[in-house]
Amino acid sequence: EQVLPSVVTASAGNHGVALSSITRELGARLTIYVPRDAPRAKLDRLRGDGITIVADCADYDEAEARALAAAAAGDGHFISPYNDADVIAGAGTVALEILEDFPGAGVLVVPTGGGGLLAGVAAAVDGRVPVVGVEAAANPAFTEALAAGHTTTIVPGRSLADGLLGNLQRDALTFELVRQRSIPVQLVSEELVVEGVRALFTHERLVAEGAGAIAVGALLAGGLMHLPDPLVLLVTGANIDAPTLARVLGS
């Protein structure tokens, strides 16, 4: 009997969706730990043969801790959504595609949670184009870590940008890559995270989750006004439940 490879992960966002797609294609087994309040739109995209979803975690931090413990107990190889060199490199390819299509880009503005995308983009452009990270004010993990010079522990708040919530692993590779390149990270208020989702739908007819629209929120806040045009705002996900989107649009 064939023994299928097993993978364990935790995710509050796109990583889980990507990994579930890959494991289904390869015929591997995946156990994914997610926060209990994860949007149904995300959970529906995770389901499939060979995939076990553990959705009773209080928040992303608990999901990550339980996934690491499961991997240590032999349940599978842990693949971090951000603290993994291959994941970071893969995320960074989006910057190469942007510069290929739009070599005149002035600044890349990147949604930031654990920093996998931010670190990957920063490494890929390698100083050719300025990069700025934006994170939810409710979860200032990167901002506080950069101010302290090392990873710290915060108390995550609640945010529509649920895909960006949670602490960094101690000595996370993403933090070092961002710190060494002096990449700035800006905070975006919850009001403007919400406004970013609303603005994308109203003006562009684009559906984006809070984590995906946070760069637009930073633009609306005026925090990017000093940066050289043209700005490239990365919109990184549309996993928002219909009732939540309706509430945002009607508020």
Side-chain angles (χ1 to χ4, degrees):
E1 183 179 353
Q2 181 183 13
V3 178
L4 297 177
S6 296
V7 176
V8 179
T9 196
S11 179
N14 291 327
H15 175 74
V17 175
L19 202 55
S20 64
S21 177
I22 292 168
T23 53
R24 283 196 297 267
E25 182 178 335
L26 297 179
R29 297 189 181 278
L30 170 66
T31 302
I32 179 168
Y33 291 78
V34 300
R36 65 169 65 103
D37 60 355
R40 181 170 295 277
K42 289 181 182 176
L43 295 179
D44 288 345
R45 295 185 65 192
L46 298 177
R47 305 185 195 284
D49 292 341
I51 298 174
T52 301
I53 303 170
V54 182
D56 62 349
C57 304
D59 54 19
Y60 174 77
D61 288 347
E62 181 181 319
E64 183 177 78
R66 289 175 64 181
L68 285 165
D75 289 351
H77 175 69
F78 178 72
I79 300 180
S80 171
Y82 61 95
N83 195 23
D84 181 288
D86 291 330
V87 170
I88 293 168
T93 61
V94 70
L96 301 181
E97 293 182 27
I98 289 169
L99 295 184
E100 181 178 339
D101 291 342
F102 189 32
V107 180
L108 306 186
V109 185
V110 184
T112 302
L117 181 59
L118 180 62
V121 166
V125 303
D126 196 25
R128 289 176 290 168
V129 178
V131 177
V132 174
V134 286
E135 69 178 350
N139 196 94
F142 244 96
T143 303
E144 293 201 7
L146 290 172
H150 55 81
T151 53
T152 60
T153 300
I154 64 161
V155 178
R158 296 184 62 82
S159 175
L160 183 64
D162 55 276
L164 303 179
L165 301 182
N167 275 285
L168 303 174
Q169 282 185 271
R170 184 176 180 180
D171 299 326
L173 178 59
T174 51
F175 170 73
E176 287 301 321
L177 288 170
V178 170
R179 183 187 64 81
Q180 290 168 7
R181 288 170 170 77
S182 300
I183 304 297
V185 177
Q186 296 186 13
L187 295 175
V188 180
S189 71
E190 187 61 20
E191 177 184 3
L192 286 165
V193 171
V194 173
E195 188 58 35
V197 173
R198 185 185 298 117
L200 279 172
F201 184 84
T202 301
H203 299 291
E204 303 294 339
R205 289 298 185 262
L206 289 177
V207 174
E209 61 188 282
I214 193 170
V216 177
L219 177 68
L220 296 172
L224 307 178
M225 298 292 289
H226 65 289
L227 299 175
D229 287 330
L231 302 178
V232 177
L233 312 181
L234 274 66
V235 180
T236 54
N239 299 307
I240 185 170
D241 288 341
T244 303
L245 179 61
R247 185 171 64 252
V248 167
L249 297 178
S251 63

